[in-house]
Amino acid sequence: MRDDYRLEGKTTKIEIELEEQVAQKLESMSRFKELSLSEIANVALKRFIASHKDFDPGRPN
């Protein structure tokens, strides 16, 4: 399961703003599981994308 969080392939940096409590929770989770913020956020966003096809203009609903 831990391998599910590893970043694979080419990466890029983006800048985003988060609600303060969300950022604090991510930092807490990162320390607790010894995963980087990028690893946790990458998996969370992949899961969001997979379950919200209606947000993707390139995919039919």
Side-chain angles (χ1 to χ4, degrees):
M1 169 112 171
R2 210 167 158 79
D3 288 340
D4 294 342
Y5 288 85
R6 185 176 37 214
L7 294 174
E8 298 177 1
K10 185 177 177 182
T11 63
T12 189
K13 289 187 181 280
I14 63 168
E15 186 176 329
I16 61 171
E17 291 186 29
L18 301 172
E19 294 174 357
E20 186 174 7
Q21 68 271 20
V22 173
Q24 290 171 347
K25 180 57 82 173
L26 285 173
E27 289 173 2
S28 175
M29 294 167 70
S30 174
R31 285 190 303 274
F32 180 69
K33 293 308 264 180
E34 298 178 349
L35 294 166
S36 72
L37 289 172
S38 294
E39 291 168 322
I40 292 172
N42 193 62
V43 169
L45 289 169
K46 281 182 176 181
R47 290 178 181 171
F48 178 89
I49 291 165
S51 62
H52 290 84
K53 293 178 182 171
D54 55 321
F55 280 56
D56 186 350
R59 296 177 85 176
N61 291 338

